[in-house]
Amino acid sequence: MDLDEAMRTTFSAREFTADPLPDAALADILDRARFAPSGGNRQGWKVIVVRDNATREALARLTEPAAKRYIAQQKNGENPWNTIDPPRVDAATIERTEPLMRLIEPVLKAPVVLVICVDLKVVASTDQHLDRVGVISGASIYPFAWNILLAARARGFAGTITTLAVAQEPKLKQLLGLPSHVAVAAVMPLGRPVKQLTKLKRKPVSEFAMRERWGGPPLA
Ligand SMILES: Cc1cc2nc3c(=O)[nH]c(=O)nc-3n(C[C@H](O)[C@H](O)[C@H](O)COP(=O)(O)O)c2cc1C
């Protein structure tokens, strides 16, 4: 498949056909994804391949609290889970919010779910002393996660990078037996998508690229 085409059409699939995604096909996808870059080429990713139904049900349950807050904030006109503006919805409102099933069901229904972890013992986190949420550690893992989706796309499969369950990371760690120095970067349902999107909604370059400094003229 043409690279430009793959980049333009690799969407977030949340609905899957009954087709299996066998271990051999998954290993082939991961065999491409492993060429992703990482800080110092440390390759701190680890992948847990989940097919067990009880584990998926636990993953779905762990997704729910963060999904409720996400929807409650969204309904309130906020950017959910951002670290700059404190949430303006209270705990009671979050508690009675119905989480969208499309945020929860994919881990139950996809033929396979990958839990993509990062070994914090090997990842360089150069923003660790800054007074803001860390972003650099993730940068050593998400190119790998994205490569999984690109390799899946080339083979007719698809999935979604999801992160809501990570809000419950201590319980996730218990569920999966993760050591304390390992963090969860994403939970990724993968399978054969029911439909293939071809026109993804994205802002044009002129809206996010500016010349020389913040607020500079847009790159046309
Ligand atoms: C870091 C990250 C976290 C995300 N978390 C979730 C999530 O928890 N649940 C979910 O359903 N989608 C999640 N997504 C998928 C986004 O919603 C999706 O990429 C975006 O809406 C664009 O969708 P599209 O590619 O189908 O156009 C996440 C994506 C990224 C990159």
Side-chain angles (χ1 to χ4, degrees), residues 10-14 63 70 102-104 106 142 146 160-165 185-187 197 199-202:
T10 300
F11 71 111
S12 296
R14 298 183 181 86
T63 306
Y70 190 97
R102 71 181 201 114
L103 295 179
I104 304 210
Y142 293 112
W146 181 240
T160 296
I161 292 172
T162 82
T163 49
L164 289 168
V187 175
L197 301 190
K199 285 202 182 330
L200 308 189
K201 273 192 229 157
R202 299 292 190 267

Side-chain angles (χ1 to χ4, degrees), residues 21 23 26 30 46-52 111-115:
L21 202 174
D23 281 352
L26 182 58
L30 295 176
K46 300 278 180 196
V47 178
I48 301 187
V49 179
V50 176
R51 297 191 189 271
D52 178 74
V112 66
V113 178
L114 306 184
V115 179

Side-chain angles (χ1 to χ4, degrees), residues 42-215:
R42 296 280 172 198
Q43 303 167 60
W45 47 75
K46 300 278 180 196
V47 178
I48 301 187
V49 179
V50 176
R51 297 191 189 271
D52 178 74
N53 280 338
T55 308
R56 293 151 170 282
E57 278 161 22
L59 287 174
R61 277 195 300 278
L62 293 176
T63 306
E64 220 176 284
K68 284 180 163 197
R69 172 169 158 183
Y70 190 97
I71 300 299
Q73 285 194 273
Q74 200 177 44
K75 279 188 178 162
N76 200 37
E78 302 175 36
N79 288 319
W81 283 100
N82 89 80
T83 56
I84 303 299
D85 306 312
R88 300 192 308 269
V89 284
D90 58 27
T93 308
I94 292 171
E95 191 43 47
R96 62 172 178 269
T97 301
E98 279 297 317
L100 284 182
M101 284 321 283
R102 71 181 201 114
L103 295 179
I104 304 210
E105 267 182 351
V107 292
L108 299 172
K109 299 196 168 168
V112 66
V113 178
L114 306 184
V115 179
I116 302 172
C117 304
V118 40
D119 182 345
L120 297 176
K121 275 196 180 175
V122 304
V123 164
S125 307
T126 52
D127 57 355
Q128 63 186 266
H129 297 305
L130 301 184
D131 186 19
R132 63 151 169 74
V133 70
V135 295
I136 300 297
S137 330
S140 278
I141 298 301
Y142 293 112
F144 169 75
W146 181 240
N147 260 8
I148 294 176
L149 292 181
L150 287 177
R153 172 77 183 99
R155 289 156 181 76
F157 294 106
T160 296
I161 292 172
T162 82
T163 49
L164 289 168
V166 184
Q168 299 288 325
E169 194 181 70
K171 290 180 184 162
L172 263 183
K173 285 179 144 174
Q174 217 175 2
L175 175 72
L176 301 166
L178 305 182
S180 58
H181 59 91
V182 169
V184 178
V187 175
M188 179 184 282
L190 265 185
R192 183 91 57 198
V194 166
K195 56 179 188 263
Q196 170 62 52
L197 301 190
T198 51
K199 285 202 182 330
L200 308 189
K201 273 192 229 157
R202 299 292 190 267
K203 294 174 185 168
V205 172
S206 58
E207 272 192 41
F208 61 80
M210 52 207 114
R211 295 183 191 278
E212 307 301 343
R213 52 181 289 122
W214 188 271

